[in-house]
Amino acid sequence: QNGLMSGLMQMLLLKVSAHITEQLGMAPGGEFREAFKEASKVPFCKFHLGDRPIPVTFKRAIAALSFWQKVKLAWGLCFLSDPISKDDVEKCKQKDLLEQMMAEMIGEFPDLHRTIVSERDIYLTYMLKQAAKQIELPRASETEPRKYIPAVVVGVVGMGHVPGIEKNWNSDLNIQEIMSVPPPSASSRVFKFVIKATVFGLMGYGCYRIGQRTVQFILSMPAAQNYLQKLTEIRSQ
């Protein structure tokens, strides 16, 4: 559905999510579920999912990584086994420690940080600004002057996005560029072709070997040998 690399990356991130859930006894994203529950209690409140679609983020992130960076990232996610405690989660809420963790991520995977964090900072800021526009009140006639009331918006975002949102708030933002999915590179196309050729080749060889053994097994059966002997006699006559 989402392509080979993007699909594999989603599976690996689901593994990370399951690891966090197992360690903490709670699933990530609880703040968003709580926001939805609270919003449903407020009359006329609109609940809006304001983040960039996951497939776009994954495809842009994968396109930004080199082949070896993809291998390194996948290896790290596959063998993620570090213990996580609730104290560790509380430490992540400290601004200094959070900034240090983000800096480490930038140093190791700068392109991944750009697509997963920085671009989404821009997207989240844009969506929040759209939601925060003044609301025009209905008018009784066309001659009546326009009246506006301020919108009341509560944005629930990850702590790592707060500095980026504050930084981008007063800027003119265009999200068209960060919504486009770049075409796959030549190396990516070659890699996909090699993988497909290998899989189909192995399947074909497997079918050949199974068919060969099946034929040999059938021919070794007494009933088959008798039938073949009779055919030989009929032909000779």
Side-chain angles (χ1 to χ4, degrees):
Q1 217 175 8
N2 296 314
L4 176 65
M5 295 302 296
S6 183
L8 287 173
M9 191 62 66
Q10 288 194 43
M11 289 173 64
L12 289 173
L13 291 176
L14 284 172
K15 179 183 180 294
V16 174
S17 176
H19 173 69
I20 296 171
T21 303
E22 183 181 4
Q23 293 284 320
L24 299 178
M26 66 177 80
E31 66 273 30
F32 303 118
R33 287 187 286 273
E34 193 66 25
F36 176 75
K37 187 168 68 177
E38 291 300 318
S40 63
K41 298 177 183 177
V42 181
F44 309 109
C45 179
K46 294 180 181 179
F47 183 84
H48 181 67
L49 298 174
D51 203 350
R52 186 170 64 178
I54 291 176
V56 175
T57 298
F58 276 162
K59 287 176 181 177
R60 285 187 63 85
I62 290 167
L65 296 176
S66 66
F67 174 76
W68 293 113
Q69 283 180 320
K70 292 172 187 175
V71 172
K72 185 178 180 181
L73 179 63
W75 181 268
L77 294 175
C78 279
F79 296 97
L80 181 72
S81 59
D82 296 337
I84 304 169
S85 66
K86 292 186 178 180
D87 290 336
D88 294 331
V89 176
E90 291 301 318
K91 287 178 183 177
C92 289
K93 295 179 182 179
Q94 300 174 18
K95 186 177 179 181
D96 294 341
L97 185 60
L98 185 66
E99 289 177 354
Q100 180 184 341
M101 291 170 62
M102 298 294 280
E104 290 174 1
M105 181 182 174
I106 294 171
E108 196 166 2
F109 296 103
D111 293 324
L112 193 67
H113 179 273
R114 174 176 54 80
T115 52
I116 291 183
V117 181
S118 300
E119 288 184 358
R120 286 173 59 224
D121 288 345
I122 294 172
Y123 190 91
L124 289 166
T125 308
Y126 179 85
M127 298 305 287
L128 280 168
K129 289 180 74 172
Q130 292 298 309
K133 286 183 176 180
Q134 289 187 329
I135 302 169
E136 183 180 353
L137 294 175
R139 294 183 295 167
S141 64
E142 291 294 329
T143 57
E144 187 179 344
R146 298 177 185 272
K147 293 181 180 178
Y148 298 89
I149 59 171
V152 179
V153 180
V154 177
V156 181
V157 299
M159 286 187 67
H161 291 291
V162 173
I165 292 172
E166 292 176 347
K167 176 185 174 183
N168 292 308
W169 189 259
N170 293 319
S171 304
D172 292 328
L173 304 174
N174 183 4
I175 62 170
Q176 295 302 320
E177 183 181 348
I178 62 172
M179 287 299 292
S180 62
V181 178
S185 62
S187 60
S188 177
R189 290 196 295 268
V190 170
F191 179 70
K192 287 180 181 179
F193 176 78
V194 170
I195 291 291
K196 288 180 180 179
T198 303
V199 170
F200 285 119
L202 289 173
M203 288 175 62
Y205 179 72
C207 291
Y208 167 75
R209 293 291 296 173
I210 291 171
Q212 188 181 41
R213 290 184 179 182
T214 303
V215 170
Q216 289 175 352
F217 174 74
I218 292 172
L219 292 177
S220 66
M221 296 174 66
Q225 290 179 356
N226 291 334
Y227 181 72
L228 289 173
Q229 187 176 359
K230 288 180 180 179
L231 282 176
T232 305
E233 291 174 357
I234 292 169
R235 284 184 178 181
S236 62
Q237 291 174 0

